[in-house]
Amino acid sequence: MRSSVRVSGGLKVTGAGLAALLLAAGAVGCSKGSDEQSPAMTPAAAVAKAAKNSEDITSLRYRMDGKMPGAGSVNGEAAMSMKPLAMSMKMTSSQSPDPVEIRLVGQALYINGGAEAAKEMDGKSWMKLGSAALGDAAKDLNADSMGAAQADQNPATESTFLTGSKDVKKVGTETVDGVKTTHYKGTVTLAELRKAMKSGDKETRERREKSLQQYEKMGADKLTMDMWIDGSDHTKRFRMNSDTGNGPLDMTITFLDYNKPVTVKAPPAAQTVDLAQMMKDAQSQG
């Protein structure tokens, strides 16, 4: 069965659209490197150093593959710039036959529903959630539970999560997309993450808290995490999985590059329906 949510005016966001909203937050920091991480470094120190390096990332591109609660199997690619904030993601889901694209430009989130959405929107395939109406729109879409509220967070944030684990261990050395890496693994509860989050500046703590809330809404309270760290002490690949009670969470993200220019443009206005205006029209009509 295809899952969907209905918004004002009869619009529905289905399958990959739900997953795209969930994944808009992304995952971890990244880098390229030619040699595996130093064997002299302890597992905890290696993970902490990679987490620290993620704070300097200003943009990144990544590939995703796995399963998300409520969305089934998903895969796609994304690019994100932190300053200025912009994001573009294209992905597919087992619950939807059509690929979905989302873009975050400034304070506006755009969702391309493809041909099916165009049939319900006078030939327009893009839907816009502007900042002024995002709160009400998110309620109508149930988008907050799908991660829309976290769409503007730094996707490098979750690379710091494994630092809260008490059982980090080295698995071995592996080659990921031609890059030699060292593989680490550990488990961490959300309670342990919150305790570890008390250190650091206010902005960093707020980003981490938003990410934790995302996982709480999925139904996860404990994460098993894998990190593949390259010779430059950055995360090349990251995997997290959990039994959420709402379906399996098992997502792997591989980073293609970082700190390279990322440009994202808003869709043409002629192809876009403004959800805020649609909601106003619906309210005025009772």
Side-chain angles (χ1 to χ4, degrees), residues 31-264:
S31 179
K32 293 182 178 179
S34 57
D35 299 308
E36 68 236 32
Q37 194 270 331
S38 172
M41 192 176 295
T42 66
V47 167
K49 188 169 185 178
K52 179 64 176 177
N53 286 340
S54 72
E55 297 176 7
D56 298 325
I57 293 173
T58 58
S59 64
L60 52 81
R61 299 177 191 273
Y62 56 96
R63 181 175 66 246
M64 66 192 79
D65 181 71
K67 296 180 180 179
M68 296 289 286
S73 299
V74 297
N75 62 80
E77 291 193 9
M80 186 169 189
S81 168
M82 289 69 172
K83 295 181 180 180
L85 182 62
M87 184 271 292
S88 176
M89 179 184 295
K90 294 181 180 180
M91 64 177 301
T92 59
S93 163
S94 61
Q95 296 190 9
S96 176
D98 301 316
V100 168
E101 179 179 0
I102 66 172
R103 298 180 191 177
L104 181 67
V105 182
Q107 297 298 312
L109 183 66
Y110 298 88
I111 306 172
N112 189 338
E116 289 299 316
K119 291 179 182 178
E120 300 186 40
M121 299 191 300
D122 298 325
K124 299 178 180 180
S125 60
W126 286 93
M127 181 171 60
K128 175 184 177 182
L129 287 80
S131 59
L134 185 56
D136 290 338
K139 291 178 183 178
D140 221 19
L141 277 165
N142 195 26
D144 186 59
S145 67
M146 292 181 286
Q150 288 79 43
D152 61 347
Q153 76 182 49
N154 185 334
T157 297
E158 283 135 20
S159 66
T160 66
F161 281 6
L162 198 53
T163 60
S165 174
K166 299 178 180 179
D167 61 358
V168 181
K169 63 181 180 181
K170 177 180 174 180
V171 177
T173 57
E174 301 171 20
T175 299
V176 177
D177 278 2
V179 176
K180 293 182 179 180
T181 68
T182 303
H183 180 185
Y184 298 93
K185 187 181 185 75
T187 59
V188 62
T189 66
L190 299 194
E192 289 171 337
L193 284 172
R194 279 204 166 87
K195 184 176 181 181
M197 281 188 336
K198 292 181 179 180
S199 60
D201 59 78
K202 181 180 179 181
E203 182 179 355
T204 299
R205 293 197 305 271
E206 289 177 348
R207 287 201 307 266
R208 292 173 178 172
E209 177 59 29
K210 283 185 177 182
S211 291
L212 287 183
Q213 291 174 2
Q214 175 190 2
Y215 289 106
E216 283 179 333
K217 289 169 182 176
M218 289 185 202
D221 59 11
K222 182 178 182 180
L223 298 170
T224 298
M225 307 180 72
D226 294 79
M227 291 178 69
W228 288 261
I229 300 175
D230 68 15
S232 298
D233 297 311
H234 287 83
T235 303
K236 175 61 180 175
R237 173 172 287 172
F238 188 90
R239 179 186 180 190
M240 62 177 68
N241 60 77
S242 175
D243 295 324
T244 69
N246 297 312
L249 167 65
D250 190 350
M251 185 59 55
T252 297
I253 298 178
T254 302
F255 290 87
L256 309 177
D257 62 50
Y258 75 104
N259 292 347
K260 293 185 178 181
V262 171
T263 302
V264 182

